[in-house]
Amino acid sequence: MSHAVLDRPHRHEPTDRRRPIDTVVMRASEWLNAHSITALRVSLGITFLAFGVLKFFPGVSPAEDLSIATIDKLTFGVISGSAALLLTAVTETVIGLTLTTGRFLRVGLIVLAGALVGIMSPLVLFPGDLLGDGPTLTAQYVFKDIVLAAGGLVVGAYALGGRLRRDS
């Protein structure tokens, strides 16, 4: 006994006709794949550069006191005051320049990895000052660094040869 076979396309067979929205989505995906990591790298670089340059001018950066206190604590008082502020300014500026230009990117990412210890450490070193009666403006400044750190991870993964893929 023979069985009749229905002539209908399988669910996963490509179709010759695409809906206009599918074409737009496909092109947007291609553009994002081609440019989003670069946009992230440059925007992170500009952010670090802006924060770093401000620290070259005492009294201008809103994070000046926090930067000095953090470096002082992390170096057990060996680097403090204006030297701590200068170290932070130079570090953030180097990170910013390497990310913005893409030159010496791996060096900049290594500096960023080390700097992230200092960037995130106020959450551990000064929790009372940051979160005492609720999050302070300084705490919000530190919390935004979590996003900068995550962006740095993405740029670092890409610079080391990783490619975009969906989380499972």
Side-chain angles (χ1 to χ4, degrees):
M1 172 185 263
S2 71
H3 296 298
V5 176
L6 297 177
D7 189 20
R8 60 184 146 150
H10 293 288
R11 177 188 255 182
H12 299 291
E13 285 183 11
T15 175
D16 291 329
R17 293 178 294 182
R18 282 200 174 112
R19 295 178 306 171
I21 189 69
D22 293 333
T23 302
V24 169
V25 168
M26 183 182 70
R27 288 199 177 134
S29 174
E30 290 169 355
W31 189 91
L32 288 168
N33 259 331
H35 302 290
S36 62
I37 300 292
T38 300
L40 177 62
R41 177 181 53 78
V42 171
S43 64
L44 283 169
I46 291 169
T47 302
F48 272 99
L49 192 56
F51 289 145
V53 167
L54 283 180
K55 290 179 180 78
F56 281 112
F57 304 98
V60 175
S61 172
E64 181 176 317
D65 293 337
L66 180 63
S67 297
I68 291 170
T70 301
I71 296 295
D72 180 65
K73 195 88 133 162
L74 289 175
T75 63
F76 303 102
V78 173
I79 303 173
S80 61
S82 60
L85 189 60
L86 180 61
L87 175 64
T88 305
V90 169
T91 300
E92 290 180 356
T93 301
V94 166
I95 292 166
L97 288 171
T98 61
L99 288 171
T100 302
T101 65
R103 294 181 170 267
F104 306 106
L105 185 57
R106 289 183 179 190
V107 171
L109 290 168
I110 290 168
V111 174
L112 174 58
L116 285 174
V117 172
I119 290 168
M120 301 307 292
S121 64
L123 292 170
V124 175
L125 297 175
F126 313 111
D129 294 341
L130 300 177
L131 306 170
D133 294 329
T136 62
L137 190 56
T138 306
Q140 293 174 39
Y141 187 88
V142 174
F143 285 136
K144 68 98 179 86
D145 291 335
I146 295 169
V147 175
L148 297 180
L153 292 173
V154 172
V155 171
Y158 186 78
L160 296 174
R163 296 294 170 249
L164 289 177
R165 65 182 175 91
R166 291 184 182 171
D167 286 341
S168 52

